Amino acid sequence: MSALLALFKGDTSAESVVPRTGFTAILTIACAAAMAFLAVFVLALALSAGRQAADWEASLADTATVRISAPAEMADVQADTVETILSQTPGIGATRRLTDDEQALLLQPWFGSDLPVESLRLPILIDVTLTEGGPDVIGLRQRLSAEAPGAVYDDHGRWRAPMVDAARGLRTLSLIALILIATVTGVTVALAASAAISANGQVIDVLRLVGAEDRYISRAFTRRFTLRTLAGAAVGVVFGLIAVALIPTVAGGGLASAVGFRGAEWIWPALVPFVAAVLAFAATRAAAARRLNEAG
């Protein structure tokens, strides 16, 4: 840590060893900016996927639905019976029978707004709110089967689990992508530092002749490439945040509408330039030590 902090103090005499311009400088800054830009997007996707998975799991874990498919003359009778059964069942909080208009809204994403609901025989849907622990599902289904044969209790488990698993899988892939971005950044900076050291071989030989230690020479390259990476990454983060803010909101919610940062999550993109600088510090220091040892 002390070596990293010493970089910002600087050594103007040592900095003259490292060229201020050239392809290595452009490569380092451009790579850092591009990788930071991508890192902001991947961070936004990973955090949003994790947040959406938690929201889906929390919102669906406390709800259930009873679907009643029965002949028209028996539908209301069975619905009343189901509501009575639910009110007597421990673990059931509140129940509410959905109206035809509410069912039409549920079907709208698949069939559009022109669906002739009045001409269809839609099942009766009863929205159920669960209390802590929930009901005895097996016992409840058996009672519904006996007293209201057309009623089916659905705890949303069949489609809740795949949605949550998909969001969590997306978060895992995003974290893997972040690791790859960090690796590419470190390797690119190391290659640029090695190229700069090789291009300044004669200067390094002269410095050694006048008594300069390899540590002194290495520190010059390490500082310059670390600061270049920090600056490039900061620019990339700014453009990345602008791009994330410009992502259009998707109507109806879902993962696509949730991509972005909320609350304390904003600290993560702010840390990207400093993480990039630490990676550049470690990569440049290792590359400089190896090159100087090879040069003898």
Side-chain angles (χ1 to χ4, degrees):
M1 181 62 70
S2 58
L4 187 60
L5 294 175
L7 292 177
F8 296 95
K9 186 176 181 181
D11 188 336
T12 54
S13 62
E15 285 180 9
S16 61
V17 176
V18 186
R20 294 183 176 273
T21 59
F23 81 95
T24 57
I26 297 173
L27 175 64
T28 303
I29 296 173
C31 172
M35 293 298 104
F37 182 88
L38 293 176
V40 169
F41 266 99
V42 175
L43 272 172
L45 188 60
L47 293 171
S48 301
R51 187 170 61 244
Q52 195 67 45
D55 290 345
W56 280 338
E57 194 166 26
S59 62
L60 296 176
D62 298 331
T63 61
T65 303
V66 177
R67 184 179 69 255
I68 304 171
S69 300
E73 63 275 10
M74 295 294 297
D76 288 333
V77 175
Q78 289 204 17
D80 293 338
T81 301
V82 167
E83 289 181 324
T84 300
I85 294 173
L86 293 174
S87 66
Q88 298 171 350
T89 303
I92 300 293
T95 63
R96 187 177 65 87
R97 194 182 304 189
L98 271 63
T99 65
D100 289 342
D101 291 339
E102 289 174 321
Q103 292 194 53
L105 287 176
L106 292 176
L107 295 173
Q108 186 173 322
W110 289 273
F111 299 102
S113 57
D114 298 328
L115 181 67
V117 178
E118 63 280 353
S119 63
L120 299 176
R121 275 192 55 196
L122 295 176
I124 296 176
L125 296 180
I126 299 177
D127 185 53
V128 180
T129 302
L130 309 180
T131 59
E132 188 175 356
D136 176 6
V137 176
I138 296 177
L140 177 58
R141 284 174 174 165
Q142 289 175 346
R143 186 176 178 187
L144 289 174
S145 178
E147 301 183 34
V152 177
Y153 179 84
D154 184 5
D155 61 0
H156 306 153
R158 289 182 300 174
W159 60 279
R160 177 182 63 192
M163 291 172 61
V164 174
D165 289 343
R168 287 176 176 170
L170 184 58
R171 180 181 59 183
T172 301
L173 290 176
S174 300
L175 294 177
I176 294 174
L178 282 175
I179 294 174
L180 293 176
I181 289 173
T183 302
V184 171
T185 301
V187 170
T188 304
V189 173
L191 291 174
S194 296
I197 294 173
S198 298
N200 288 270
Q202 292 182 342
V203 176
I204 292 172
D205 290 339
V206 172
L207 289 172
R208 281 173 165 171
L209 287 175
V210 298
E213 297 181 354
D214 286 353
R215 182 175 56 184
Y216 171 86
I217 301 171
S218 174
R219 185 165 59 246
F221 283 94
T222 301
R223 181 176 190 274
R224 180 62 60 81
F225 278 91
T226 299
L227 294 181
R228 285 173 178 171
T229 302
L230 179 65
V235 172
V237 166
V238 170
F239 281 99
L241 291 175
I242 293 174
V244 169
L246 293 177
I247 295 177
T249 300
V250 179
L255 182 59
S257 66
V259 175
F261 302 98
R262 296 181 185 175
E265 293 175 354
W266 286 99
I267 194 173
W268 294 110
L271 290 176
V272 168
F274 300 100
V275 173
V278 171
L279 289 172
F281 170 80
T284 307
R285 197 172 190 180
R290 184 177 63 255
R291 277 292 185 178
L292 292 172
N293 288 334
E294 291 176 355

